[in-house]
Amino acid sequence: MINFKKKISYSFDRGSKFYESNAKIQRTICIELLNFYKKLVTLNHKVQFTNGLEIGCGSGFMTNQINKLENFKKIHLIDISKKMISIAKENFPNQNFSYEVKDFDNFKNYKIYDFIYSNMSLHWSENFSKLFFYLLNQMPKGGYLVFSLLTSIKFDFDPKEIKKSLFEELINKFPDTNYSVSQIDKEKFYFFSKKKIFKEKFKKPIEFFLNLKSIGANVNFKKNKTNIFFLRRMNSEITINYDVIFFIIKKIRA
């Protein structure tokens, strides 16, 4: 049986062709994350970062945006999808950028990067809490960790058509960040977070799920999969509410 990470790799390989044209909400969230970063950090600091690392880079959109804010000497991009890495290479053939097909749960060189960032990717971790504390431990003094994390998806639509619980059964569970946040050592880290709800509308519910499939984000890890054919009979407009949390963390003590 194909394992969890192979499913993700295969799905995003398949979705790479349409990712850039259909991943609109991901781009919106990325821009908001970087606006949050700018307000908190970049206005007054004079830090010269050496090595940047994007984990779960997709097509490289976040690297393109953040490279306009910070003058990195080198940036390394990793993603579990070989085809996504190929697209990122084509989009940004910068001599200071390097690329690697790699699962971020198994990446071991975090300690050499003083700026690690990610957008809407870390919820694909097999164990978010374990990865989170590994990143904090590996960060060098003065290093930054900047990322957005999807914590839930909720649906607004005409309840007369169908029970909302059926939709919830189609969506994976997302990381609970409460424990992780409570365990951050405030003497070692400056920590900032912000929660925000992003909305996206579709004319029909099936269009949302087809959009997920088109970008490769439709991987379902639940053992008992719900039949989605009932969605084709639904005609009401639907609003998708993405609950997202932004993290900006600086390591002040080794």
Side-chain angles (χ1 to χ4, degrees):
M1 181 178 178
I2 189 168
N3 70 25
F4 163 68
K5 286 304 180 75
K6 285 184 178 179
K7 284 183 180 180
I8 297 173
S9 176
Y10 172 77
S11 188
F12 279 100
D13 276 350
R14 187 178 57 190
S16 61
K17 182 177 181 181
F18 299 103
Y19 187 86
E20 292 197 285
S21 58
N22 292 342
K24 297 176 182 178
I25 195 68
Q26 287 81 359
R27 290 195 297 272
T28 298
I29 292 170
C30 180
I31 295 299
E32 285 291 318
L33 170 63
L34 294 181
N35 285 338
F36 180 51
Y37 170 75
K38 285 190 291 184
K39 288 179 181 178
L40 285 177
V41 182
T42 62
L43 294 179
N44 298 309
H45 84 82
K46 297 181 180 180
V47 178
Q48 173 62 63
F49 295 111
T50 302
N51 293 320
L53 172 69
E54 180 172 9
I55 51 182
C57 68
S59 62
F61 179 80
M62 188 173 184
T63 286
N64 184 47
Q65 296 300 310
I66 209 163
N67 195 47
K68 299 172 184 177
L69 301 177
E70 300 291 355
N71 186 24
F72 295 98
K73 291 184 179 180
K74 294 181 180 179
I75 296 180
H76 190 55
L77 297 86
I78 65 172
D79 198 280
I80 199 170
S81 166
K82 182 178 181 180
K83 290 188 177 180
M84 282 293 192
I85 285 290
S86 295
I87 290 174
K89 281 183 180 180
E90 292 176 3
N91 286 342
F92 312 110
N94 190 309
Q95 62 180 359
N96 295 326
F97 294 178
S98 56
Y99 304 85
E100 182 179 359
V101 180
K102 190 70 176 179
D103 174 4
F104 53 63
D105 277 326
N106 297 323
F107 191 71
K108 300 301 180 183
N109 296 324
Y110 288 116
K111 62 185 177 182
I112 69 173
Y113 299 97
D114 52 5
F115 197 102
I116 300 171
Y117 56 99
S118 181
N119 181 57
M120 296 288 282
S121 294
L122 298 189
H123 59 274
W124 294 111
S125 172
E126 286 189 274
N127 187 327
F128 168 76
S129 183
K130 179 180 178 181
L131 173 64
F132 180 67
F133 288 110
Y134 183 71
L135 286 168
L136 295 184
N137 182 59
Q138 291 290 299
M139 287 169 62
K141 181 181 177 181
Y144 277 81
L145 175 61
V146 177
F147 67 97
S148 62
L149 185 71
L150 184 60
T151 59
S152 72
I153 294 179
K154 298 182 178 68
F155 306 94
D156 287 334
F157 60 94
D158 186 352
K160 295 178 182 178
E161 287 212 78
I162 203 163
K163 293 181 180 179
K164 287 189 177 183
S165 59
L166 283 175
F167 277 86
E168 294 170 358
E169 292 175 7
L170 296 172
I171 301 298
N172 295 320
K173 288 186 177 180
F174 296 100
D176 181 356
T177 60
N178 292 328
Y179 172 77
S180 299
V181 169
S182 70
Q183 296 300 306
I184 294 175
D185 187 341
K186 303 302 190 298
E187 293 186 359
K188 287 187 176 182
F189 299 93
Y190 287 142
F191 168 76
F192 305 93
S193 67
K194 177 182 178 181
K195 294 181 180 179
K196 186 169 182 177
I197 298 174
F198 294 84
K199 296 180 181 291
E200 190 174 31
K201 290 186 177 182
F202 293 89
K203 293 181 179 179
K204 297 180 180 181
I206 190 65
E207 293 181 3
F208 164 66
F209 290 97
L210 291 175
N211 185 72
L212 283 184
K213 184 176 181 180
S214 74
I215 64 174
N218 65 316
V219 183
N220 191 308
F221 304 119
K222 295 183 178 180
K223 293 182 179 179
N224 297 319
K225 294 185 180 180
T226 302
N227 192 321
I228 69 169
F229 288 106
F230 71 87
L231 294 172
R232 299 184 183 277
R233 302 194 301 269
M234 298 181 66
N235 294 308
S236 61
E237 183 179 84
I238 187 169
T239 299
I240 315 300
N241 300 282
Y242 303 90
D243 291 326
V244 176
I245 186 168
F246 298 151
F247 288 93
I248 297 176
I249 303 171
K250 179 181 179 181
K251 193 168 191 176
I252 55 177
R253 288 186 183 179

